[in-house]
């Protein structure tokens, strides 16, 4: 539904050049909720602004629903009209809601429809339907100042849906809201994604947001995508920073002469008694340093941090045994040595 290839953005101001995006390749599939996470300045807002051409990319292409927006942006007035049309099919939700304070809730939702030249009666019907969808049917005649933050964001979402978009882009839509309101807005986005088949690309700096609603995620750093995939792919990637942040397990090594390993279980593997098998097969004592079971991206997973006696070199065979069981193994804190790097451990 959304593809970017080699997307770059260089801002130039007062003779200085800032590279905000440095060759971003992103693939968002139809009907998924895709989270982009990264530190402040990583380029997340630049990415979303380039995807809907609010910002003109310096290089690369943006394709939304099969249409190359970057090609449209480069051509004359006719293409300009096509670009505006294409953009009306991309809904945008903002952190600070961006509602017009002098207009009622209903009139705010109608605004994009006015711009599209839709008749008053049709606008009104559509806006009231959307307000009902976001749970604000009774607030149509209120003004933004009379609403809570969560209600304002619901209006922002209703407005974003006015042009019947196939794609909703959200830049930190919940970061001005308290945790409970955040949850309700995320639930709304999830419901809209399911009910309308809407593809949602959301930017956040909160891991919990990714954890609760996203099917896929990308981690950005210095204008690049450094990790990306479905949540289950990420969880199955040894050394994945996103996976470790999505699913942390605590626990420190109890001594130097120990090998610490994170074992991730998904699906059927979770039910097998692998730790006792390992202990019996190799006649070693295993300590469990930490463990957690959680639902990430709608997927039940378990992770356990275990400690094996001896250094990494002494544990190559037992670790191989665990891998053969179809478990994902991350060596966390074994004795130093070049072998570790090859394991992708941190
Ligand atoms: N209009 C602009 N002109 C010049 N530099 C800009 C502009 N917008 C963003 N930048 C720079 O581009 C880089 C990426 O900024 P961007 O806003 O995309 O980051 P972000 O990941 O959204 O950060 P945050 O989490 O703080 O919102 C930063 O170094 C920023 O200073
Ligand atoms: Mg930003």
């Amino acid at each position: 539904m959304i593809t970017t290839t080699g997307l770059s953005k260089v801002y130039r101001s007062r003779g200085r050049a800032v590279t905000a995006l440095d060759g971003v390749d992103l693939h968002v599939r139809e009907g998924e909720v895709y989270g982009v996470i990264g530190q402040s300045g990583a380029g997340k807002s630049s990415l979303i602004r380039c995807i809907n051409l609010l910002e003109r990319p310096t290089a690369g292409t943006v394709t939304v629903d099969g249409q190359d927006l970057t090609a449209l942006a480069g051509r004359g007035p006719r293409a300009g009209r096509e670009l505006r049309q294409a953009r009306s099919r991309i809904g945008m939700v903002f952190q600070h809601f961006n509602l017009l304070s002098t207009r009622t809730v209903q009139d705010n939702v109608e605004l994009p429809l006015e711009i599209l030249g839709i008749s008053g009666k049709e606008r009104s019907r559509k806006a009231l339907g959307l307000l009902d969808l976001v749970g604000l049917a009774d607030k149509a005649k209120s003004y933004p100042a009379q609403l809570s933050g969560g209600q304002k964001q619901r209006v922002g979402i209703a407005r974003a849906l006015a042009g019947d978009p196939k794609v909703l882009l959200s830049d930190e839509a919940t970061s001005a809201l308290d945790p409970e309101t955040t949850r309700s807005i995320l639930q709304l986005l999830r419901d809209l994604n399911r009910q309308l088949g809407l593809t949602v690309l959301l930017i956040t700096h909160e891991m919990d947001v990714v954890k609760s609603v996203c099917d896929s995620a990308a981690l950005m750093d210095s204008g690049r995508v450094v990790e990306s995939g479905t949540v289950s792919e990420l969880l199955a990637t040894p050394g994945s920073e996103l996976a470790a942040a999505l699913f942390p397990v605590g626990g420190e090594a109890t001594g130097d002469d120990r090998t610490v390993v994170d074992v991730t279980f998904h699906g059927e593997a979770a039910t097998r008694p692998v730790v006792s098998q390992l202990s019996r097969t190799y006649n070693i004592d295993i300590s469990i340093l930490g463990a957690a079971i959680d639902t990430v991206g709608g997927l039940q997973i378990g992770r356990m941090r275990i400690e094996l006696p001896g250094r990494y070199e002494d544990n190559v065979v037992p670790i191989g045994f665990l891998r053969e069981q179809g478990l994902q193994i991350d060596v966390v804190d074994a004795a130093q040595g070049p072998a570790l790097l090859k394991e992708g451990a941190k």
Side-chain angles (χ1 to χ4, degrees):
M1 181 56 69
I2 305 173
T3 302
T4 74
T5 53
L7 194 65
S8 297
K9 178 70 194 177
V10 179
Y11 296 103
R12 293 179 199 285
S13 57
R14 285 184 249 118
R16 283 192 51 232
V18 178
T19 302
L21 297 177
D22 188 8
V24 171
D25 297 325
L26 198 75
H27 293 277
V28 180
R29 283 169 305 167
E30 180 167 10
E32 74 176 339
V33 179
Y34 197 110
V36 176
I37 199 154
Q39 292 189 336
S40 184
K44 306 180 297 296
S45 296
S46 299
L47 174 63
I48 231 168
R49 295 172 62 82
C50 282
I51 287 175
N52 68 5
L53 270 295
L54 275 174
E55 207 65 78
R56 192 64 203 279
T58 309
T61 63
V62 175
T63 307
V64 177
D65 197 17
Q67 199 166 24
D68 182 345
L69 301 186
T70 28
L72 287 179
R75 290 189 281 119
R78 170 112 196 278
R81 206 159 43 239
E82 282 176 53
L83 178 63
R84 272 196 300 282
Q85 233 155 41
R87 275 169 55 181
S88 76
R89 309 270 288 160
I90 303 175
M92 180 86 185
V93 184
F94 303 91
Q95 178 178 4
H96 297 294
F97 325 125
N98 297 4
L99 303 179
L100 296 179
S101 59
T102 55
R103 282 184 157 230
T104 63
V105 161
Q106 180 179 346
D107 288 347
N108 266 283
V109 178
E110 286 190 24
L111 186 64
L113 299 169
E114 270 175 58
I115 294 168
L116 289 173
I118 290 166
S119 77
K121 210 170 144 201
E122 173 61 16
R123 286 203 307 264
S124 171
R125 192 192 60 78
K126 181 98 201 202
L128 293 173
L130 288 168
L131 286 171
D132 193 33
L133 189 65
V134 301
L136 284 184
D138 56 333
K139 299 288 184 196
K141 300 297 173 217
S142 302
Y143 285 87
Q146 298 169 303
L147 304 182
S148 69
Q151 289 169 333
K152 284 181 198 163
Q153 196 54 292
R154 284 170 189 267
V155 178
I157 291 169
R159 181 187 53 192
L161 296 176
D164 290 323
K166 298 189 84 171
V167 169
L168 196 67
L169 306 178
S170 155
D171 191 353
E172 307 269 9
T174 59
S175 56
L177 304 174
D178 63 67
E180 197 170 321
T181 312
T182 293
R183 270 194 293 280
S184 78
I185 293 292
L186 293 174
Q187 189 57 49
L188 174 63
L189 290 177
R190 193 61 174 156
D191 290 347
L192 293 170
N193 158 258
R194 297 241 165 94
Q195 277 175 35
L196 309 176
L198 196 66
T199 305
V200 180
L201 177 65
L202 63 85
I203 290 191
T204 182
H205 57 262
E206 292 167 273
M207 223 56 214
D208 277 351
V209 170
V210 174
K211 199 162 167 170
S212 56
V213 294
C214 295
D215 302 301
S216 296
L219 174 65
M220 285 192 74
D221 185 30
S222 307
R224 294 168 168 272
V225 169
V226 291
E227 283 184 23
S228 66
T230 65
V231 170
S232 50
E233 281 164 3
L234 291 166
L235 291 171
T237 305
S240 161
E241 259 185 70
L242 268 176
L246 277 169
F247 203 63
V249 272
E252 303 251 311
T254 59
D256 286 344
D257 203 21
R258 299 278 189 275
T259 302
V260 176
V261 171
D262 279 351
V263 185
T264 305
F265 304 81
H266 351 196
E268 181 266 333
T271 56
R272 272 184 278 129
V274 278
V275 172
S276 62
Q277 278 172 8
L278 181 70
S279 176
R280 250 184 290 125
T281 308
Y282 297 100
N283 194 25
I284 48 179
D285 292 324
I286 297 166
S287 310
I288 295 174
L289 301 176
I293 295 178
D294 209 336
T295 306
V296 181
L299 188 89
Q300 264 273 323
I301 80 158
R303 191 173 264 188
M304 193 188 290
R305 178 164 291 184
I306 60 175
E307 187 181 63
L308 311 176
R311 292 173 178 261
Y312 175 73
E313 302 80 71
D314 309 322
N315 284 299
V316 171
V317 175
I319 289 171
F321 169 86
L322 289 173
R323 290 211 167 98
E324 275 164 29
Q325 307 299 306
L327 299 170
Q328 183 199 321
I329 305 303
D330 285 285
V331 180
V332 180
D333 188 23
Q336 302 76 18
L340 270 182
L341 299 173
K342 286 184 218 125
E343 296 297 328
K346 280 185 288 202

